[in-house]
């Protein structure tokens, strides 16, 4: 079965410092992986997705993630945090395709706080 | 392009009462999803529609939850009767097409702002 584990429930950084949000996945086949961001009282927004093309995926707002098969990881990074990055981030794997499957399976989320 | 619309944004009810949520997907999107997000957890799929047909409702508690998408556009999700553990944010999402072997732009799910339900 497909699943994702977000290793930190809460990450706190100072503005201008790097961001690292960790995610490990479990999948019996080559997975499709996503990162979504959820700002308070707003809908989930897709940051980036990996679909077996380039292992380094660039997303919106300066975020990127690297797919590492040997480590079963898909960590999200950003070189320099901005106050507006404070939000909850979800690592997501897509379930097996075919029939009614293929839907999104979310991790429990990592809350990112950015200190001035 | 207008996003996914949901109403109401907030709802407070007492246990054993009924409640209904409404979702209007992005125009032209064939696939519509309802998710339940309990506090401190990631969203969990409740039901998926392809046009007006149900594709997957395996995680929908059918004894109390129901959903419909009669004309293949808007959808309503109903809970009757509500329990305390139904307190959550109910998210609606839509995509141009349903999941398949690829993950192109047509499958990207766009989420609404959600309805926050509190059952007392």
């Amino acid at each position: 079965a497909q699943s994702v584990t977000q290793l930190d429930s809460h990450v706190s950084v100072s503005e201008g410092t790097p961001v690292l949000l960790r995610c490990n996945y479990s999948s019996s086949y080559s997975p499709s992986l996503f990162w979504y961001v959820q700002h308070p009282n707003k809908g989930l927004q897709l940051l980036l997705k990996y679909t077996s093309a380039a292992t380094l995926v660039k997303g919106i707002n300066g975020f990127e993630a690297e797919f590492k098969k040997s480590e079963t990881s898909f960590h999200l990074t950003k070189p320099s945090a901005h106050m507006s990055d404070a939000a909850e981030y979800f690592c997501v794997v897509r379930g097996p395709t075919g029939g009614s499957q293929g839907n999104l399976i979310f991790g429990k989320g990592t809350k990112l706080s950015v200190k001035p | 392009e207008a996003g996914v619309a949901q109403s109401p944004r907030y709802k407070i009810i007492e246990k054993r009462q009924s409640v209904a949520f409404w979702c209007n997907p992005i125009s032209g999107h064939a696939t519509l999803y309802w998710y339940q997000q309990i506090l401190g957890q990631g969203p969990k799929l409740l039901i998926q529609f392809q046009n007006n047909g149900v594709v997957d409702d395996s995680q929908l508690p059918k004894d109390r939850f129901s959903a419909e998408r009669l004309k293949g556009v808007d959808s309503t999700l109903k809970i009757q009767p509500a329990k305390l553990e139904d307190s959550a944010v109910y998210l609606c999402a839509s995509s141009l097409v349903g999941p398949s072997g690829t993950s192109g732009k047509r499958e990207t799910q766009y989420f609404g702002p959600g309805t926050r339900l509190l059952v007392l």
Side-chain angles (χ1 to χ4, degrees):
Chain A
Q2 282 63 243
S3 67
V4 288
T5 302
Q6 293 185 244
L7 301 173
D8 307 291
S9 58
H10 192 193
V11 169
S12 182
V13 301
S14 296
E15 191 175 21
T17 63
V19 175
L20 170 63
L21 305 183
R22 299 182 295 165
C23 173
N24 286 358
Y25 70 90
S26 174
S27 178
S28 54
Y29 56 91
S30 184
S32 293
L33 293 160
F34 309 78
W35 276 97
Y36 275 82
V37 61
Q38 187 175 38
H39 287 93
N41 298 316
K42 291 190 177 180
L44 285 155
Q45 182 183 20
L46 179 66
L47 272 180
L48 50 81
K49 60 185 175 185
Y50 166 75
T51 57
S52 74
T55 56
L56 182 62
V57 183
K58 294 188 184 299
I60 61 172
N61 301 336
F63 284 94
E64 61 182 39
E66 186 172 8
F67 174 75
K68 291 187 176 180
K69 187 175 180 179
S70 60
E71 299 176 10
T72 61
S73 69
F74 190 58
H75 301 334
L76 182 70
T77 60
K78 183 173 180 177
S80 176
H82 192 272
M83 295 297 291
S84 60
D85 294 329
E88 185 127 27
Y89 292 79
F90 292 94
C91 183
V92 183
V93 65
R94 197 170 67 175
T97 56
S100 64
Q101 301 300 315
N103 292 305
L104 301 182
I105 300 167
F106 285 76
K108 291 190 175 182
T110 298
K111 185 175 181 180
L112 175 65
S113 299
V114 182
K115 298 175 290 188
Chain B
E1 163 179 275
V4 177
Q6 290 188 249
S7 68
R9 293 296 308 277
Y10 305 92
K11 191 74 177 179
I12 300 174
I13 62 172
E14 294 187 350
K15 59 183 179 183
R16 291 188 289 273
Q17 285 187 323
S18 309
V19 65
F21 312 127
W22 173 81
C23 171
N24 182 234
I26 293 173
S27 177
H29 280 198
T31 307
L32 185 146
Y33 312 78
W34 283 102
Y35 290 83
Q36 180 193 57
Q37 185 177 14
I38 292 173
L39 187 65
Q41 298 182 20
K44 182 187 79 172
L45 180 70
L46 290 176
I47 188 168
Q48 177 194 347
F49 291 95
Q50 184 79 12
N51 296 310
N52 61 350
V54 175
V55 176
D56 182 1
D57 63 356
S58 57
Q59 298 197 79
L60 187 74
K62 299 180 187 62
D63 57 334
R64 296 183 302 103
F65 285 65
S66 64
E68 59 183 14
R69 193 184 185 199
L70 291 176
K71 296 183 179 179
V73 181
D74 294 5
S75 176
T76 55
L77 176 69
K78 296 179 182 177
I79 308 175
Q80 182 181 12
K83 292 185 175 181
L84 297 177
E85 58 261 37
D86 298 333
S87 294
V89 177
Y90 291 85
L91 296 165
C92 179
S94 70
S95 62
L96 198 57
V97 298
S100 67
T102 63
S103 188
K105 195 172 183 180
R106 288 159 55 84
E107 297 181 301
T108 297
Q109 293 187 29
Y110 297 87
F111 285 80
T115 296
R116 189 176 296 273
L117 173 67
L118 179 59
V119 182
L120 302 175

